[in-house]
Amino acid sequence: MADEANRQFAGLSDTAGEEDEFSTLDEPVKETILRDLRAVGSKFIHVLYPKRSSVLLRDWDLWGPLLLCVTLALLLQGGAADKEDQGGPQFAEVFVIVWFGSIIITLNSKLLGGTISFFQSLCVLGYCIMPLTAAMAVCRIVLVGGSGTVSFIVRLVVVTASFGWSTFASTAFLADNQPPGRKSLVVYPVFLFYFVIGWMVLTFSPSQ
Amino acid sequence: MASTNDPFQFQEFEEAGNLLEANRDATTISIEDDDMPERQRNAAGFTPDVDDEDPHASDDKTELLSGQKKNAPFWTFEYYQRFFDIETHHVKERIIGSMLPWPGKNFIHVHLRRNPDLYGPFWICTTLVFALAISGNFSNFLLNLGKPDHKYSPQFGKVTIAATAIFSYAWFVPLALWGCLLWRNNKIMNLVSYSFMEIVCVYGYSLAIYIPAVVLWIIPFEWLRWCSIVVALCLSGSVLVMTFWPAVREDHPKVIAAIMSAIVLLNILLAVGCKAYFFSKPEAALSPAPSAALELTKAPSAT
């Protein structure tokens, strides 16, 4: 019973369980950081193998989305975006697209009568960017080898697969909380969001 | 409540469903607005088969009952939730209705039925913005595919420009039209008047036909692009004209002509402007090549 109570409180790091520690102020800093890292890591694993579980929803946090967004924005730099006249996304543009897009999708699903809370939805959408960030890293490695037709086809396949994975993972978490008859209305904006991010990843061209 | 031991435990929504499964005859309260008019109608003694015979008669009842809904002030969330009260099949019907105009079937009367939504216009406009930017980029890429000196750039700045153009068309033109119709209504009593949200809704859904047209513009044949523009213009223009015809029918003929031609002209302007800005003509891409060839022939002759 005490374990159950502790598990329920896992996402709220400053409330105590029923064990001897009543405050987490006295623990070493390494413990605090490792606990949050373990929570983020477990959510990454849930995105990798999306089943219908409520871990992402129950213990939401925004560290993972922030980390993924910064990584994606950094990986999209260093391309043709360095010159002013080229049209790659700037760091701030990636941030705005990811966060503003997530907020609009969350508002949309709440207006359509969803039961998920605002930050839970932001958490799910942010974590499900992980496959696209991994695809971006793979694309950059492939582009080191050259940017001909073969590399384009490889990148296209990788980006398409990770876009499908992101959409599937996020709908596995989000679609259950919608009233029936409106599920596609909620899923379509998520599809559009990941499609736009996938296009940004695919059209990244390195400076030569 | 037997499953949990701590009364201060934060309960999640899934547990309510589990509790209900465990104890099926527990009393439940369902708060669904769409069921209520039906129940009230049945309770008031109207037999269901009367409603089935004449679906339009139920509009009167739903109007009376919807008048009982409280009007939330515009700064609350509930006010905007009113405009998202639709199902997937409604959106599908409205999109198809906007692409296939039928003479005599007014879009607002047939499809909206006093339930304008903001979901359709907003997401159709957003999809059109991205479709325009991505298709334009892709068609430029295809045009410049063989050239070694051309550097591909994704050109994200164009997304902002596309968004500004399309969203201002979808919001300011309905605003102007609504103001115009309101002004004419003061002078001449019209039987038909549309609310601002209904006009926004019609304009939003009328842009839906442009999404497949924009994707078709990727193919770099000018005749195909002009064909698809003309078809899309005819379809969306006729939907708009047939929708607004009853609202201006009783007016002075010059005013009718002015309003109708303004609607059609702005539509044409949007379509042609987007095509010209985002999609360059295949001939324009070829013209730098002859001038480069001329320069090459001039250089050896100069030496």
Side-chain angles (χ1 to χ4, degrees):
Chain A
M1 285 202 312
D3 288 335
E4 222 180 84
N6 279 344
R7 246 189 296 129
Q8 295 280 353
F9 281 122
L12 313 162
S13 53
D14 51 352
T15 58
E18 284 164 334
E19 301 204 292
D20 40 13
E21 278 186 57
F22 283 97
S23 86
T24 55
L25 277 178
D26 295 332
E27 64 177 11
V29 175
K30 190 178 77 157
E31 272 290 316
T32 317
I33 296 179
L34 277 179
R35 183 175 54 239
D36 280 334
L37 279 178
R38 261 184 246 122
V40 169
S42 86
K43 290 199 198 60
F44 277 150
I45 294 181
H46 272 89
V47 173
L48 277 178
Y49 303 109
K51 319 181 267 281
R52 269 158 220 269
S53 80
S54 53
V55 161
L56 242 73
L57 296 179
R58 213 172 34 192
D59 315 327
W60 62 267
D61 74 87
L62 292 177
W63 283 116
L66 180 68
L67 206 64
L68 286 168
C69 188
V70 169
T71 313
L72 185 66
L74 282 176
L75 285 173
L76 279 167
Q77 297 305 300
D82 284 347
K83 309 185 194 62
E84 277 312 309
D85 56 340
Q86 300 297 332
Q90 303 295 319
F91 188 87
E93 280 174 0
V94 176
F95 246 81
V96 162
I97 288 179
V98 168
W99 289 99
F100 203 53
S102 307
I103 290 175
I104 289 189
I105 295 177
T106 307
L107 275 179
N108 178 63
S109 76
K110 284 197 76 83
L111 281 168
L112 281 169
T115 55
I116 199 172
S117 93
F118 184 76
F119 287 110
Q120 281 171 344
S121 171
L122 281 186
C123 171
V124 168
L125 288 167
Y127 270 103
C128 291
I129 292 182
M130 189 186 73
L132 282 165
T133 310
M136 183 69 216
V138 168
C139 283
R140 282 211 82 151
I141 295 173
V142 167
L143 278 169
V144 166
S147 55
T149 316
V150 172
S151 103
F152 178 73
I153 292 179
V154 168
R155 281 185 292 143
L156 182 66
V157 167
V158 167
V159 170
T160 312
S162 58
F163 154 70
W165 191 358
S166 288
T167 311
F168 173 68
S170 62
T171 51
F173 293 115
L174 288 178
D176 288 338
N177 295 300
Q178 296 300 325
R182 293 183 183 184
K183 286 201 165 55
S184 336
L185 295 185
V186 172
V187 166
Y188 171 71
V190 175
F191 168 88
L192 188 64
F193 176 63
Y194 289 125
F195 184 80
V196 170
I197 297 183
W199 174 56
M200 282 200 301
V201 168
L202 185 61
T203 59
F204 174 77
S205 59
S207 53
Q208 280 161 357
Chain B
M1 296 296 178
S3 57
T4 59
N5 40 17
D6 190 343
F8 297 109
Q9 200 88 350
F10 194 74
Q11 301 288 342
E12 289 293 337
F13 288 109
E14 310 93 55
E15 293 187 76
N18 292 339
L19 289 173
L20 195 57
E21 276 189 41
N23 186 9
R24 281 199 182 269
D25 43 5
T27 49
T28 55
I29 305 169
S30 68
I31 320 170
E32 283 168 319
D33 286 341
D34 2 330
D35 283 350
M36 291 224 317
E38 179 118 23
R39 272 190 244 135
Q40 285 182 6
R41 253 186 278 148
N42 287 335
F46 293 115
T47 51
D49 43 356
V50 172
D51 293 340
D52 288 333
E53 276 171 30
D54 189 7
H56 294 277
S58 62
D59 279 353
D60 298 335
K61 294 182 209 113
T62 47
E63 274 197 40
L64 286 171
L65 292 165
S66 65
Q68 296 167 11
K69 268 192 256 176
K70 46 187 193 310
N71 280 327
F74 68 91
W75 57 83
T76 57
F77 193 69
E78 285 74 30
Y79 178 79
Y80 296 103
Q81 218 160 5
R82 216 163 36 126
F83 299 117
F84 282 78
D85 189 19
I86 45 162
E87 313 267 313
T88 310
H89 65 93
H90 289 148
V91 175
K92 277 195 209 146
E93 282 164 21
R94 290 177 187 189
I95 292 179
I96 294 178
S98 75
M99 291 198 195
L100 303 170
W102 205 252
K105 269 197 184 175
N106 187 335
F107 183 79
I108 290 186
H109 287 150
V110 172
H111 289 108
L112 291 191
R113 296 224 190 164
R114 304 241 161 243
N115 190 19
D117 70 295
L118 279 179
Y119 177 90
F122 180 75
W123 287 109
I124 290 176
C125 289
T126 312
T127 311
L128 188 59
V129 164
F130 285 115
L132 203 50
I134 294 178
S135 307
N137 197 249
F138 194 49
S139 88
N140 276 337
F141 170 73
L142 283 181
L143 273 178
N144 299 315
L145 196 47
K147 305 195 180 80
D149 56 337
H150 183 88
K151 183 84 189 66
Y152 170 74
S153 65
Q155 289 180 314
F156 269 93
K158 292 205 164 176
V159 175
T160 326
I161 298 173
T164 314
I166 289 175
F167 275 100
S168 31
Y169 175 79
W171 281 92
F172 290 126
V173 174
L175 188 65
L177 192 60
W178 175 70
C180 192
L181 288 176
L182 211 61
W183 168 59
R184 292 313 298 174
N185 246 352
N186 281 340
K187 304 232 170 141
I188 295 170
M189 268 325 286
N190 264 330
L191 292 170
V192 175
S193 70
Y194 298 136
S195 73
F196 174 61
M197 280 300 167
E198 285 170 345
I199 301 182
V200 166
C201 205
V202 171
Y203 263 86
Y205 278 104
S206 75
L207 287 174
I209 184 76
Y210 286 113
I211 297 176
V214 160
V215 173
L216 264 180
W217 293 349
I218 294 179
I219 306 173
F221 295 125
E222 271 306 296
W223 59 269
L224 182 64
R225 287 182 182 176
W226 281 108
C227 268
S228 58
I229 263 199
V230 166
V231 169
L233 272 174
C234 284
L235 287 176
S236 86
S238 54
V239 167
L240 289 173
V241 163
M242 280 196 289
T243 305
F244 289 107
W245 179 251
V248 295
R249 195 169 31 195
E250 285 117 24
D251 214 340
H252 197 237
K254 281 195 187 158
V255 174
I256 299 181
I259 294 183
M260 287 302 172
S261 53
I263 293 177
V264 171
L265 265 172
L266 282 168
N267 207 4
I268 294 177
L269 200 66
L270 179 78
V272 174
C274 283
K275 180 184 172 302
Y277 185 72
F278 290 97
F279 296 83
S280 51
K281 294 193 187 13
E283 299 90 51
L286 287 171
S287 53
S291 61
L294 280 171
E295 296 216 13
L296 282 171
T297 52
K298 273 193 203 146
S301 61
T303 54

